[in-house]
Amino acid sequence: MTGTPPPSAALAVGARGLAKRYGTRCAVDGLDLQIPTGAVAGFVGPNGAGKTTTMAMLLGLVEPTEGTGSVLGHPLDEPESYLRRVGALIETPAFYPALTGRQNLAVLAAVGSQDPRDIPGVLELVGLTERGDDRFRGYSLGMKQRLGIAGALLGDPDLLILDEPINGLDPSGIREMRGLIRRLADGRRTLLISSHALAELDQVCDWLVVIDRGALVYQGPAADFGAGSETSVVAVPERQDDLPRLRRLVLDAAAEQGIALADVRLAGPTLEERYLASTNGAPR
Ligand SMILES: Nc1ncnc2c1ncn2[C@@H]1O[C@H](COP(=O)(O)OP(=O)(O)OP(=O)(O)O)[C@@H](O)[C@H]1O
Ligand SMILES: [Mg+2]
């Protein structure tokens, strides 16, 4: 299942037949990728599906065994021509525990020849302004992840690649990370965000690439993923006491019985349900 590809000029990332083999193991198996410029693209697949390997190939960290592609209009095999415009967070970022968040960003900016004057802005964007002068070692996991994203944002990249930024976060960390992703989606910058659990990215992505065992399962608008699936009616009574009665009634009957409905809507299967159905839900 593949969505209609946008014209290639509007692609932040395009790839054809991208493959990576390690011996006889195929980590990535002939992927065709189309990520429109400005998209917030979720890159989803079970553990071992090939997400990190694909991202590493886009960043010039892993050499493809086969395939061609482009990033921000430059050939994949010339990463030096586009990497300055790409920010990335792959695996847990290495920071100095004894330095503050702000000092760690200053080190990154110096190493990457980025303007240190960007630091207050990126700290603000990731919500760390108030904790910027605390040592990294005292940060929560969510704060560490957000500092990693702040580092990736130095230089104001046109493409931001985040590998599992939500992994391991508690519910409030997940909420903060989702808020941050929404703030980063300014319609100009392209985001590619991986996750092994589609539910983590529900509501934040407008484009989806789903892979399983190195191969494409779905690519296209997030809203179209699993479209055409059966829908059902969800009815929520205003008063909880009405719930047992409501269960036995259809909508018209509810009105006749004087039950005020707080919410009536159509609900399809959640994105997560569609995703599990399309990948057999089997982590490997
Ligand atoms: N350097 C390597 N040498 C050998 N095999 C590798 C190497 N890197 C990845 N693989 C294999 O390639 C497959 C894809 O791995 P990859 O890390 O890209 O998956 P992933 O989708 O990022 O998984 P996860 O959700 O667990 O992070 C796995 O079977 C993995 O064992
Ligand atoms: Mg991975």
Side-chain angles (χ1 to χ4, degrees), residues 17-54:
L18 201 58
K20 180 66 190 181
R21 278 187 291 277
Y22 292 104
T24 54
R25 167 168 290 139
C26 213
V28 175
D29 191 7
L31 270 190
D32 291 343
L33 287 177
Q34 289 131 7
I35 317 273
T37 298
V40 182
F43 189 30
V44 182
N47 290 133
K51 305 179 294 293
T52 301
T53 305
T54 302

Short mmCIF file of all heavy atoms in Angstrom, two decimals, residues 17-54:
data_model
loop_
_atom_site.label_atom_id
_atom_site.label_comp_id
_atom_site.label_asym_id
_atom_site.label_seq_id
_atom_site.Cartn_x
_atom_site.Cartn_y
_atom_site.Cartn_z
N GLY A 17 14.87 1.74 -3.75
CA GLY A 17 15.55 0.46 -3.59
C GLY A 17 16.65 0.46 -2.55
O GLY A 17 17.64 -0.28 -2.68
N LEU A 18 16.47 1.28 -1.52
CA LEU A 18 17.50 1.38 -0.48
C LEU A 18 17.61 0.06 0.28
O LEU A 18 16.61 -0.46 0.78
CB LEU A 18 17.12 2.52 0.47
CG LEU A 18 18.22 3.14 1.31
CD1 LEU A 18 19.34 3.69 0.44
CD2 LEU A 18 17.64 4.26 2.19
N ALA A 19 18.83 -0.47 0.34
CA ALA A 19 19.01 -1.76 1.01
C ALA A 19 20.31 -1.77 1.80
O ALA A 19 21.29 -1.12 1.43
CB ALA A 19 19.03 -2.90 -0.02
N LYS A 20 20.28 -2.49 2.92
CA LYS A 20 21.50 -2.71 3.69
C LYS A 20 21.53 -4.16 4.16
O LYS A 20 20.61 -4.63 4.83
CB LYS A 20 21.53 -1.79 4.93
CG LYS A 20 22.79 -1.97 5.77
CD LYS A 20 24.02 -1.54 5.00
CE LYS A 20 25.31 -1.92 5.70
NZ LYS A 20 26.50 -1.47 4.93
N ARG A 21 22.56 -4.86 3.75
CA ARG A 21 22.73 -6.24 4.19
C ARG A 21 23.95 -6.35 5.08
O ARG A 21 24.99 -5.75 4.82
CB ARG A 21 22.88 -7.17 2.98
CG ARG A 21 21.54 -7.57 2.35
CD ARG A 21 21.71 -8.62 1.27
NE ARG A 21 22.39 -8.09 0.10
CZ ARG A 21 21.77 -7.42 -0.87
NH1 ARG A 21 20.48 -7.20 -0.82
NH2 ARG A 21 22.46 -6.96 -1.89
N TYR A 22 23.81 -7.12 6.14
CA TYR A 22 24.94 -7.48 6.99
C TYR A 22 25.12 -8.99 6.82
O TYR A 22 24.33 -9.76 7.36
CB TYR A 22 24.66 -7.15 8.46
CG TYR A 22 24.58 -5.66 8.74
CD1 TYR A 22 23.36 -5.03 8.95
CD2 TYR A 22 25.74 -4.89 8.81
CE1 TYR A 22 23.29 -3.67 9.22
CE2 TYR A 22 25.68 -3.52 9.08
CZ TYR A 22 24.45 -2.93 9.28
OH TYR A 22 24.40 -1.58 9.55
N GLY A 23 26.10 -9.38 6.03
CA GLY A 23 26.22 -10.81 5.72
C GLY A 23 24.97 -11.26 4.99
O GLY A 23 24.59 -10.66 3.98
N THR A 24 24.31 -12.26 5.52
CA THR A 24 23.09 -12.74 4.86
C THR A 24 21.85 -12.04 5.40
O THR A 24 20.76 -12.19 4.86
CB THR A 24 22.91 -14.26 5.07
OG1 THR A 24 22.95 -14.53 6.47
CG2 THR A 24 24.01 -15.04 4.36
N ARG A 25 22.02 -11.27 6.50
CA ARG A 25 20.86 -10.60 7.10
C ARG A 25 20.55 -9.30 6.35
O ARG A 25 21.43 -8.49 6.12
CB ARG A 25 21.12 -10.29 8.57
CG ARG A 25 20.08 -9.31 9.14
CD ARG A 25 20.16 -9.22 10.64
NE ARG A 25 19.69 -10.46 11.23
CZ ARG A 25 20.27 -11.03 12.28
NH1 ARG A 25 21.34 -10.51 12.81
NH2 ARG A 25 19.76 -12.13 12.78
N CYS A 26 19.27 -9.16 5.99
CA CYS A 26 18.85 -7.97 5.29
C CYS A 26 18.22 -7.01 6.29
O CYS A 26 17.08 -7.21 6.71
CB CYS A 26 17.84 -8.37 4.21
SG CYS A 26 17.95 -7.33 2.78
N ALA A 27 18.95 -5.99 6.71
CA ALA A 27 18.41 -5.04 7.70
C ALA A 27 17.39 -4.12 7.04
O ALA A 27 16.37 -3.78 7.63
CB ALA A 27 19.55 -4.22 8.30
N VAL A 28 17.68 -3.71 5.81
CA VAL A 28 16.77 -2.87 5.03
C VAL A 28 16.72 -3.48 3.63
O VAL A 28 17.76 -3.80 3.05
CB VAL A 28 17.26 -1.40 4.97
CG1 VAL A 28 16.39 -0.57 4.06
CG2 VAL A 28 17.28 -0.80 6.38
N ASP A 29 15.49 -3.65 3.13
CA ASP A 29 15.30 -4.52 1.97
C ASP A 29 14.59 -3.80 0.83
O ASP A 29 13.39 -4.02 0.60
CB ASP A 29 14.49 -5.75 2.44
CG ASP A 29 14.47 -6.85 1.40
OD1 ASP A 29 15.17 -6.72 0.38
OD2 ASP A 29 13.73 -7.82 1.60
N GLY A 30 15.31 -2.90 0.15
CA GLY A 30 14.73 -2.27 -1.04
C GLY A 30 13.63 -1.26 -0.75
O GLY A 30 12.56 -1.31 -1.32
N LEU A 31 13.93 -0.32 0.14
CA LEU A 31 12.93 0.68 0.53
C LEU A 31 12.83 1.80 -0.50
O LEU A 31 13.84 2.35 -0.93
CB LEU A 31 13.34 1.33 1.86
CG LEU A 31 12.87 0.76 3.19
CD1 LEU A 31 13.22 1.75 4.30
CD2 LEU A 31 11.40 0.45 3.17
N ASP A 32 11.61 2.14 -0.86
CA ASP A 32 11.35 3.36 -1.63
C ASP A 32 10.76 4.36 -0.64
O ASP A 32 9.71 4.11 -0.06
CB ASP A 32 10.33 3.11 -2.74
CG ASP A 32 10.89 2.21 -3.84
OD1 ASP A 32 12.13 2.06 -3.91
OD2 ASP A 32 10.09 1.66 -4.61
N LEU A 33 11.45 5.49 -0.47
CA LEU A 33 10.99 6.47 0.52
C LEU A 33 10.62 7.77 -0.16
O LEU A 33 11.32 8.23 -1.06
CB LEU A 33 12.11 6.78 1.52
CG LEU A 33 12.47 5.75 2.57
CD1 LEU A 33 13.65 6.25 3.40
CD2 LEU A 33 11.28 5.46 3.47
N GLN A 34 9.52 8.35 0.31
CA GLN A 34 9.14 9.69 -0.14
C GLN A 34 8.65 10.48 1.06
O GLN A 34 7.57 10.21 1.58
CB GLN A 34 8.02 9.62 -1.19
CG GLN A 34 8.47 9.09 -2.52
CD GLN A 34 7.53 8.00 -3.03
OE1 GLN A 34 6.50 7.74 -2.44
NE2 GLN A 34 7.92 7.38 -4.12
N ILE A 35 9.45 11.43 1.49
CA ILE A 35 9.04 12.28 2.62
C ILE A 35 8.90 13.70 2.10
O ILE A 35 9.90 14.33 1.74
CB ILE A 35 10.10 12.27 3.75
CG1 ILE A 35 10.63 10.87 4.02
CG2 ILE A 35 9.56 12.97 4.99
CD1 ILE A 35 9.90 10.05 4.97
N PRO A 36 7.67 14.21 2.03
CA PRO A 36 7.47 15.56 1.48
C PRO A 36 8.12 16.63 2.37
O PRO A 36 8.16 16.48 3.59
CB PRO A 36 5.94 15.73 1.49
CG PRO A 36 5.36 14.40 1.77
CD PRO A 36 6.41 13.58 2.46
N THR A 37 8.60 17.68 1.72
CA THR A 37 9.17 18.81 2.46
C THR A 37 8.10 19.41 3.38
O THR A 37 6.96 19.60 2.97
CB THR A 37 9.66 19.87 1.47
OG1 THR A 37 10.68 19.29 0.68
CG2 THR A 37 10.22 21.08 2.19
N GLY A 38 8.50 19.64 4.63
CA GLY A 38 7.59 20.25 5.60
C GLY A 38 6.74 19.24 6.35
O GLY A 38 6.00 19.62 7.25
N ALA A 39 6.86 17.96 5.98
CA ALA A 39 6.04 16.93 6.64
C ALA A 39 6.55 16.65 8.05
O ALA A 39 7.73 16.85 8.35
CB ALA A 39 6.08 15.64 5.83
N VAL A 40 5.65 16.22 8.90
CA VAL A 40 6.03 15.61 10.17
C VAL A 40 5.78 14.12 9.94
O VAL A 40 4.65 13.64 9.98
CB VAL A 40 5.18 16.12 11.33
CG1 VAL A 40 5.65 15.48 12.64
CG2 VAL A 40 5.27 17.63 11.42
N ALA A 41 6.87 13.42 9.63
CA ALA A 41 6.74 12.04 9.18
C ALA A 41 7.08 11.07 10.31
O ALA A 41 8.16 11.14 10.90
CB ALA A 41 7.66 11.80 7.98
N GLY A 42 6.16 10.20 10.60
CA GLY A 42 6.41 9.12 11.55
C GLY A 42 7.03 7.96 10.80
O GLY A 42 6.59 7.62 9.70
N PHE A 43 8.07 7.38 11.39
CA PHE A 43 8.76 6.25 10.76
C PHE A 43 8.62 5.09 11.74
O PHE A 43 9.29 5.06 12.77
CB PHE A 43 10.22 6.63 10.53
CG PHE A 43 11.02 5.65 9.70
CD1 PHE A 43 10.41 4.87 8.72
CD2 PHE A 43 12.38 5.51 9.88
CE1 PHE A 43 11.14 3.99 7.96
CE2 PHE A 43 13.12 4.63 9.13
CZ PHE A 43 12.49 3.86 8.16
N VAL A 44 7.72 4.19 11.40
CA VAL A 44 7.25 3.24 12.41
C VAL A 44 7.47 1.80 11.96
O VAL A 44 7.29 1.46 10.79
CB VAL A 44 5.74 3.48 12.66
CG1 VAL A 44 5.23 2.53 13.73
CG2 VAL A 44 5.49 4.92 13.07
N GLY A 45 7.90 0.99 12.87
CA GLY A 45 8.05 -0.44 12.59
C GLY A 45 8.46 -1.15 13.87
O GLY A 45 9.01 -0.51 14.78
N PRO A 46 8.20 -2.45 13.96
CA PRO A 46 8.56 -3.20 15.17
C PRO A 46 10.08 -3.19 15.40
O PRO A 46 10.84 -2.82 14.50
CB PRO A 46 8.09 -4.62 14.87
CG PRO A 46 7.29 -4.56 13.62
CD PRO A 46 7.59 -3.29 12.93
N ASN A 47 10.50 -3.59 16.57
CA ASN A 47 11.93 -3.70 16.87
C ASN A 47 12.61 -4.52 15.79
O ASN A 47 12.11 -5.56 15.37
CB ASN A 47 12.16 -4.37 18.22
CG ASN A 47 11.73 -3.50 19.39
OD1 ASN A 47 11.05 -3.96 20.31
ND2 ASN A 47 12.07 -2.24 19.36
N GLY A 48 13.74 -4.03 15.31
CA GLY A 48 14.50 -4.76 14.30
C GLY A 48 14.01 -4.56 12.88
O GLY A 48 14.51 -5.19 11.95
N ALA A 49 13.03 -3.65 12.68
CA ALA A 49 12.44 -3.46 11.35
C ALA A 49 13.41 -2.78 10.39
O ALA A 49 13.25 -2.87 9.17
CB ALA A 49 11.15 -2.65 11.45
N GLY A 50 14.39 -2.05 10.93
CA GLY A 50 15.35 -1.38 10.05
C GLY A 50 15.28 0.14 10.12
O GLY A 50 15.86 0.83 9.27
N LYS A 51 14.62 0.68 11.14
CA LYS A 51 14.45 2.14 11.24
C LYS A 51 15.79 2.84 11.46
O LYS A 51 16.14 3.78 10.75
CB LYS A 51 13.48 2.48 12.39
CG LYS A 51 12.13 1.79 12.28
CD LYS A 51 11.23 2.14 13.45
CE LYS A 51 11.73 1.63 14.80
NZ LYS A 51 11.71 0.16 14.92
N THR A 52 16.52 2.40 12.49
CA THR A 52 17.79 3.06 12.80
C THR A 52 18.76 2.92 11.63
O THR A 52 19.45 3.88 11.26
CB THR A 52 18.40 2.46 14.09
OG1 THR A 52 17.47 2.65 15.16
CG2 THR A 52 19.71 3.16 14.45
N THR A 53 18.80 1.74 11.02
CA THR A 53 19.69 1.53 9.88
C THR A 53 19.35 2.48 8.73
O THR A 53 20.24 3.08 8.12
CB THR A 53 19.61 0.06 9.40
OG1 THR A 53 19.87 -0.80 10.50
CG2 THR A 53 20.59 -0.21 8.27
N THR A 54 18.05 2.64 8.46
CA THR A 54 17.63 3.56 7.39
C THR A 54 18.06 4.98 7.71
O THR A 54 18.62 5.69 6.87
CB THR A 54 16.10 3.50 7.21
OG1 THR A 54 15.73 2.16 6.91
CG2 THR A 54 15.64 4.42 6.10
#
